[in-house]
Amino acid sequence: MTQAVLEHANVTVKDPKATAEELCALFGWKIRWEGSAISGGYTVHVGNETSYLAVYAPPKQTHAQTGSSYSTLGGLNHVGIVVPDFEATEARVAAAGYTPHNHADYEPGRRFYFDTRDGIEIEVVSYE
């Protein structure tokens, strides 16, 4: 049996086009598709040839999550992204105005986190 692969995750953001453009700049991704979505919303699929992050906005203003996602049933705790050049990615993240935090070297790699403007925690990982 072939191993299952995670193809995508879907998160709600304030501005899907702006979020997608920023993810492209930070991670070298491309916009795979964009258009109308469920309940009159709008979605942009941003990633590479094999996986992507769907960033969605409903037609009405959304509200930030209150409390910790780690204590919310069904909460999205973070999205992990493997990068080929850890230092260059961290420099781009910092230059974009984000604060990298929670750095750690561990077996088998390295990591840091940052929080997007929409409150999504991103874990950047390198196994080089």
Side-chain angles (χ1 to χ4, degrees), residues 4-5 13 19 25 30-31 41 44 50 88 104 107 111 116 120 123:
V5 174
V13 299
T19 298
K30 66 178 184 175
I31 294 174
V44 180
T50 59
E107 186 61 39
R111 71 169 184 233
T116 70
I120 300 165
E123 177 183 5

Side-chain angles (χ1 to χ4, degrees), residues 6 8 14 24 43 51 69 71 73 76 79 90 93 125:
L6 178 65
H8 75 276
K14 184 176 182 179
C24 286
T43 296
S51 64
S69 62
S71 62
L73 188 62
L76 174 69
V79 175
E90 185 171 8
V93 166
V125 181

